[in-house]
Amino acid sequence: MNDTDDSDRELRVSKIRNGTVIDHLAAGQALNVLALLGIDGSGGESVSVGMNVPSDKLAKKDIVKVEDRELSQSEVDVLSVISPEATINIIREYDVIEKKRIERPEAVTGVLSCPNRNCITNADEPVETRFVVFSDGLRCDYCGEIVREDEMATHLDVS
């Protein structure tokens, strides 16, 4: 018999000195967030990832902590599309100096590829992708192709 119950269990992840904590990510999105940020381990970044962590708010969530990195607005915009419940905490000298919920933008540019192979954004033209954001998905501003929320991770353009 085990003497430890669930109330004695705790997630232990070290604090970061400076950087960003992305919390309340939809479960299963942490690896997409790392891809979006261009983090694959080769750059030497210090990263902590928690996946499918118990959450009162979401049942299960992912958490990503990135040392010495603050997100650009375009990175925040795409985060809001793949995980609208996420929060971003800016950490300086081990303290949270800013905590904000992300807001969905009206459109995202240059972060997703269009699934329509005939779209001008997939031709050899100098055209950046642009998607109009809806509550349950995105619509390509050029060809009208719809990308449902559950398909977005497949179309992240992180190259």
Side-chain angles (χ1 to χ4, degrees):
M1 198 154 83
N2 191 346
D3 291 332
T4 306
D5 64 26
D6 286 338
S7 64
D8 292 333
R9 294 182 187 164
E10 185 177 315
L11 175 68
R12 297 180 188 268
V13 178
S14 62
K15 290 185 172 188
I16 60 174
R17 181 177 190 145
N18 298 301
T20 303
V21 176
I22 308 163
D23 198 358
H24 301 105
L25 288 166
Q29 291 297 330
L31 297 179
N32 290 328
V33 169
L34 292 176
L36 167 72
L37 299 177
I39 296 172
D40 62 5
S42 65
E45 302 91 342
S46 179
V47 177
S48 299
V49 175
M51 295 180 74
N52 294 308
V53 176
S55 167
D56 292 336
K57 187 176 177 183
L58 300 172
K60 291 195 182 281
K61 68 178 180 179
D62 287 1
I63 303 168
V64 175
K65 293 183 177 188
V66 184
E67 186 97 30
D68 297 322
R69 171 91 182 261
E70 292 186 19
L71 305 184
S72 70
Q73 189 58 52
S74 64
E75 290 169 332
V76 171
D77 287 349
V78 79
L79 268 178
S80 73
V81 171
I82 65 173
S83 193
E85 298 295 320
T87 57
I88 296 175
N89 301 315
I90 305 301
I91 312 297
R92 297 211 181 112
E93 293 300 324
Y94 299 104
D95 289 324
V96 176
I97 62 139
E98 183 180 354
K99 181 174 186 166
K100 60 184 176 183
R101 285 190 50 109
I102 56 178
E103 295 180 19
R104 279 190 155 186
E106 292 181 16
V108 291
T109 302
V111 291
L112 297 166
S113 61
C114 183
N116 177 358
R117 295 184 331 163
N118 295 321
C119 182
I120 191 168
T121 61
N122 288 320
D124 240 355
E125 299 291 333
V127 179
E128 195 170 38
T129 61
R130 177 176 156 76
F131 288 86
V132 177
V133 178
F134 294 99
S135 62
D136 60 347
L138 306 171
R139 184 187 72 230
C140 178
D141 214 23
Y142 296 98
C143 72
E145 185 79 13
I146 301 293
V147 177
R148 293 189 333 261
E149 194 167 295
D150 61 350
E151 301 171 324
M152 288 181 208
T154 310
H155 300 291
L156 283 177
D157 188 7
V158 294
S159 54

